Structures are given as C-alpha cells and as structure tokens.
Amino acid sequence: MDGETDDVLEAVGPRLRALRRDRGITLADLAATTGVSESTLSRLESGQRRATLELLLPLSRTYDVPLDDLVGAPRTGDPRIHLKPIRRFGMVFIPLSRRPGGTHAFKMIIPARAEPLEPTPQTHEGHEWLYVLNGRLRLVVGERDMTLPPGEAAEFDTALPHWLGSADGGAVELLILFGQQGMRAHVRTPSH
C-alpha cells in the first residue's frame, strides 16, 4: 500500500473510538448491536487491526454514518452539503457539523402545536449554547423558566435539568452548539 492509504487506514481507529465515545456507547453495547466481537472492536479502535468492509459496514449502519465518513475519504466532485435531519422527542435536528468529538452544531426545529407541551426536564453530560432564529423559545434550566425571542442566546451546563419547547405553541427555529462537559464558549469583543 502507498503512504496515503496507510495514513487513511491508521486514522480509522481513532475516528471510530471518538465516534463511539461521543455517542456514549460502550464496546459491549456496540458488539451486541453490530455482531462484531468486543475484542475485535477494541483492536480496530486501537489500530491493532486493519479496517475491512466486513467490519465497517455494521458500524456504518449502527452509527448511521456513511462509510466515507468512517474512513475519512476525501469528498469527490459534488460540492453540495447533504444534511440528514434527525427526529427526536418530536423535534427535528439538522446536523451542521460532521467531525466526531468536540463541539457539534445543529439547527433545531420545534414544530408548531395546538397546545404548548408541559416541560419534562432532562439531564446529560455536556454544555449547550443556543441562539433563537425564529419563534419564541421556552427554556427551562434548573429553577429558571424563561422565554427567549428571536435574536436571544443562552448557555448552560446540561447536567442541570433542562427543557426546550415552544413558549406559545408556534414553531421555533434555533441554532445549537453542543460540547463536551466543561467546555464553555469563549466570546471575544474587539478592543477599541
């Protein structure tokens, strides 16, 4: 194999490990889902085993990620961005970033409802930043319950119980940045 192919193959393991950790999946869970043994997955992630199509196909299906993304294949010809919406909790999340690990960006759409939902706060690891594009967002974080109109932003630790929904039953569009636990936004203003 040539040096470029070797470099691509060596990067597969760390990419797979970052993707698995980013999604909060254990090796045991991944083995149960894919049918690939835990030891093989571990060796694949550590670079002790070469990636093969037989190993990558079930991982691609489990992570819902194209094979090209798993191996870091260069984009070819088509300059369009193909965003695949994710539907969860009655909302639509459109991924705007693709790399495993680090901060992830999403456009989130909360559809209109005849009656606004009652908050059901959840917690998870991470840190979240959001910016309201359209509509009126109801944001509950801990004991705080606030309404954010277009143009307002918020930042919070997702270990606090939190919930996002429509303040008035209308559709809401927002941008969300989700980062690892302890990450905070660094806002710089120009000095005069």
Side-chain angles (χ1 to χ4, degrees):
M1 281 189 232
D2 63 25
E4 185 178 338
T5 302
D6 285 338
D7 290 345
V8 168
L9 289 175
E10 285 177 18
V12 171
R15 189 175 293 111
L16 290 173
R17 177 176 286 130
L19 186 58
R20 179 179 56 78
R21 288 182 175 167
D22 182 54
R23 302 223 176 157
I25 300 171
T26 66
L27 279 173
D29 292 339
L30 188 58
T33 304
T34 62
V36 177
S37 76
E38 210 173 318
S39 64
T40 298
L41 291 169
S42 177
R43 289 193 326 260
L44 184 62
E45 286 185 0
S46 67
Q48 295 173 0
R49 171 131 188 197
R50 288 279 191 192
T52 65
L53 193 55
E54 291 80 18
L55 294 173
L56 292 176
L57 279 174
L59 292 170
S60 173
R61 280 192 293 273
T62 298
Y63 291 135
D64 193 25
V65 172
L67 277 172
D68 285 355
D69 290 356
L70 287 183
V71 299
R75 302 275 177 235
T76 56
D78 188 350
R80 294 175 295 178
I81 297 172
H82 301 281
L83 304 174
K84 293 184 180 177
I86 301 164
R87 296 177 196 292
R88 288 196 183 128
F89 316 113
M91 297 177 270
V92 178
F93 298 83
I94 302 167
L96 302 175
S97 59
R98 297 172 61 100
R99 75 181 175 96
T103 302
H104 294 271
F106 297 90
K107 179 177 182 183
M108 180 178 164
I109 301 167
I110 302 170
R113 303 181 68 86
E115 293 289 323
L117 294 173
E118 281 302 310
T120 53
Q122 304 290 318
T123 63
H124 52 88
E125 285 194 23
H127 206 85
E128 198 164 297
W129 306 268
L130 58 85
Y131 178 84
V132 181
L133 297 168
N134 292 304
R136 295 172 48 78
L137 176 72
R138 181 176 178 193
L139 174 63
V140 177
V141 178
E143 298 297 318
R144 300 207 49 190
D145 189 339
M146 49 206 129
T147 298
L148 283 68
E152 287 208 1
E155 173 183 5
F156 56 93
D157 183 337
T158 57
L160 292 170
H162 61 282
W163 178 86
L164 291 80
S166 174
D168 55 15
V172 182
E173 294 181 46
L174 55 149
L175 295 177
I176 291 184
L177 296 177
F178 178 76
Q180 298 171 353
Q181 187 67 27
M183 290 179 73
R184 294 191 53 97
H186 298 285
V187 180
R188 289 182 172 57
T189 57
S191 57
H192 298 285

